[in-house]
Amino acid sequence: LATRMSALVALTLLSILSPSARADLSSCFVENSTWISSNIIDTFQPVADYNECQLLCADHSNCSAFTWTSEENTHAQLFCFLFGLTDINITCEHCISGPPSCTCSTESACSAQEENLIDVINGVTEEVECQSLCSSQGSCSVYTWYDSTSFPSYT
């Protein structure tokens, strides 16, 4: 029964019926920090927020990180800088930096109810792949992913 259960529940894509806006930053974003300018591979302006900047980074094949500048930045307002390398970290006032995508990587799961379950996909071995599958679904805003050590596991 456990093997059958783990085969059935590898990935649960969930839809939040009434999503609320988050006021705080996810732990994968860093404020007031960036990298040296020689590592910039592309620049966009104006970019409304750090989430849009992250999407631009995710769409660029060579982007390993981004920095978005707010309207309060005195040197560059509402810019999105994409970086190929992130080897030398420097300070940047009124900036938010992060990776091309964020995974939650916590041991928690959303409650799968009939009204919020979008799909169950077997054999998803990496959390980032699960996140990508969720992002590709217009109605998916939250995912639950099980690794090989979880119950139920993806195998």
Side-chain angles (χ1 to χ4, degrees), residues 88-115:
I88 301 174
N89 194 278
I90 59 173
T91 60
C92 177
E93 289 188 30
H94 305 290
C95 297
I96 297 175
S97 298
S101 66
C102 298
T103 56
C104 69
S105 299
T106 61
E107 298 248 353
S108 60
C110 298
S111 176
Q113 307 293 324
E114 186 175 329
E115 66 271 3

Side-chain angles (χ1 to χ4, degrees), residues 50-81:
Y50 65 92
N51 291 307
E52 182 181 344
C53 189
Q54 184 180 41
L55 290 173
L56 291 167
C57 182
D59 286 342
H60 196 291
S61 61
N62 296 323
C63 185
S64 62
F66 71 89
T67 294
W68 174 78
T69 59
S70 72
E71 289 180 322
E72 290 80 29
N73 185 291
T74 57
H75 303 289
Q77 293 81 31
L78 301 177
F79 269 80
C80 177
F81 299 98

Side-chain angles (χ1 to χ4, degrees), residues 1-154:
L1 181 61
T3 304
R4 183 176 176 190
M5 183 72 160
S6 64
L8 291 175
V9 185
L11 163 69
T12 307
L13 301 177
L14 303 172
S15 173
I16 302 278
L17 298 177
S18 56
S20 61
R22 284 187 57 163
D24 61 323
L25 290 175
S26 157
S27 63
C28 86
F29 298 110
V30 178
E31 291 184 276
N32 302 318
S33 182
T34 190
W35 302 274
I36 60 171
S37 296
S38 61
N39 292 338
I40 294 173
I41 57 173
D42 213 340
T43 305
F44 299 91
Q45 201 272 336
V47 176
D49 60 36
Y50 65 92
N51 291 307
E52 182 181 344
C53 189
Q54 184 180 41
L55 290 173
L56 291 167
C57 182
D59 286 342
H60 196 291
S61 61
N62 296 323
C63 185
S64 62
F66 71 89
T67 294
W68 174 78
T69 59
S70 72
E71 289 180 322
E72 290 80 29
N73 185 291
T74 57
H75 303 289
Q77 293 81 31
L78 301 177
F79 269 80
C80 177
F81 299 98
L82 306 185
F83 293 85
L85 296 173
T86 56
D87 54 347
I88 301 174
N89 194 278
I90 59 173
T91 60
C92 177
E93 289 188 30
H94 305 290
C95 297
I96 297 175
S97 298
S101 66
C102 298
T103 56
C104 69
S105 299
T106 61
E107 298 248 353
S108 60
C110 298
S111 176
Q113 307 293 324
E114 186 175 329
E115 66 271 3
N116 70 356
L117 179 64
I118 297 170
D119 202 355
V120 176
I121 303 171
N122 295 316
V124 179
T125 59
E126 299 290 327
E127 184 181 1
V128 71
E129 180 185 357
C130 178
Q131 179 191 43
S132 178
L133 289 165
C134 177
S135 296
S136 69
Q137 298 270 341
S139 57
C140 181
S141 59
V142 177
Y143 63 87
T144 298
W145 175 78
Y146 299 100
D147 70 12
S148 61
T149 63
S150 301
F151 178 82
S153 69
Y154 68 79

